[in-house]
Amino acid sequence: MVKKQIENFDLEQICNSGQCFRMEKLEENKYRVIANDRCLDIYQKDGECIFNCSLEEFAEIWEEYFDLKEDYKFYIDQINPKDTYLLNAAGMGRGIRILNQDLWEMIVSFLISQQNNIVRIRRCIQNICREYGEEKKTASGESYYAFPKPDVLACLEEDDLKACNLGYRSKYVVRAAKAVVSGDIDLQAIEKMKYAEAKKELLKIFGVGIKVADCICLFGLHHLEAFPVDTHINQALEKHYKRGFPKRRYKGFEGILQQYIFYYELFGEK
């Protein structure tokens, strides 16, 4: 068990931020996240977080996963004091952090995300993990499922994942898995690329468009300059940034501000 006092870190905001789909609220102030083939329960109240894992596991996996070494207050402090909209968005979502997530999982997750909502995306991913992921056990003996590997999904027919409620997205995921297994898409090489090059490579995957590629870059490669534009972000840009979002001012961390805007558009008072 690891206890930490962490500023600018809110489990509820992260869970609802649309960047991770294997994190769930168990009860008041308690959350569970499955990542890197591990299952972690976290309790947070009054600024204190209790991570139900060893200190070694925390240092090896979860500190990086939650991006806890970064000072997010620094990013918020860079916001133009005249930009009241962005200040309000950052004020509301200041507990969000950009997670360091598995690239393959993010490719599948955001292929599934197209024309979909967060609740259904979570259900789809839960379905494919239960059906095709390796069963694991927590220390207390509870079962959970690892995210299915590319070689497992590559063996499927293109429509097989419709049984997991993926609909037309089934063929996107199966083709992506086949591309990874064949070597047409080299995940290890992509992980070493800079943002522009990685995005270009991801766009070669069947079903991946600009928005999905940017989501993968931001949430699966931690390219903080990626700025995914979906319906919510586009509405905010049209209303508040008619000349375009001032990316030059926030060069290198635009994606963090994008998350504040996205969260604010979903949950803020308009």
Side-chain angles (χ1 to χ4, degrees), residues 29-70:
N29 302 316
K30 187 176 181 181
Y31 291 79
R32 172 171 291 175
V33 60
I34 301 173
N36 301 307
D37 292 351
R38 305 289 184 97
C39 181
L40 175 72
D41 288 349
I42 320 170
Y43 180 84
Q44 182 178 39
K45 189 174 182 182
D46 300 328
E48 182 179 66
C49 291
I50 300 174
F51 297 81
N52 190 22
C53 64
S54 67
L55 185 60
E56 291 76 16
E57 182 177 319
F58 175 81
E60 179 185 343
I61 297 174
W62 302 112
E63 188 172 37
E64 179 182 3
Y65 178 82
F66 286 111
D67 207 25
L68 297 181
K69 292 182 179 180
E70 287 298 312

Side-chain angles (χ1 to χ4, degrees), residues 140-155:
S140 62
E142 288 184 77
S143 290
Y144 68 96
Y145 296 87
F147 198 84
K149 305 298 183 186
D151 58 333
V152 175
L153 299 182
C155 296

Side-chain angles (χ1 to χ4, degrees), residues 203-219:
L203 286 168
K204 296 178 182 178
I205 300 174
F206 179 72
V208 172
I210 291 174
K211 190 268 286 189
V212 168
D214 271 327
C215 286
I216 297 167
C217 282
L218 183 58
F219 306 127

Side-chain angles (χ1 to χ4, degrees), residues 11-29:
L11 291 173
E12 182 173 11
Q13 291 180 6
I14 293 170
C15 185
N16 294 326
S17 65
Q19 61 173 308
C20 57
F21 304 104
R22 304 203 73 196
M23 185 174 180
E24 62 174 330
K25 185 174 184 177
L26 299 179
E27 57 189 62
E28 192 65 28
N29 302 316

Side-chain angles (χ1 to χ4, degrees), residues 65-78:
Y65 178 82
F66 286 111
D67 207 25
L68 297 181
K69 292 182 179 180
E70 287 298 312
D71 179 10
Y72 276 63
K73 182 178 182 298
F74 169 81
Y75 300 122
I76 294 173
D77 287 346
Q78 306 309 306

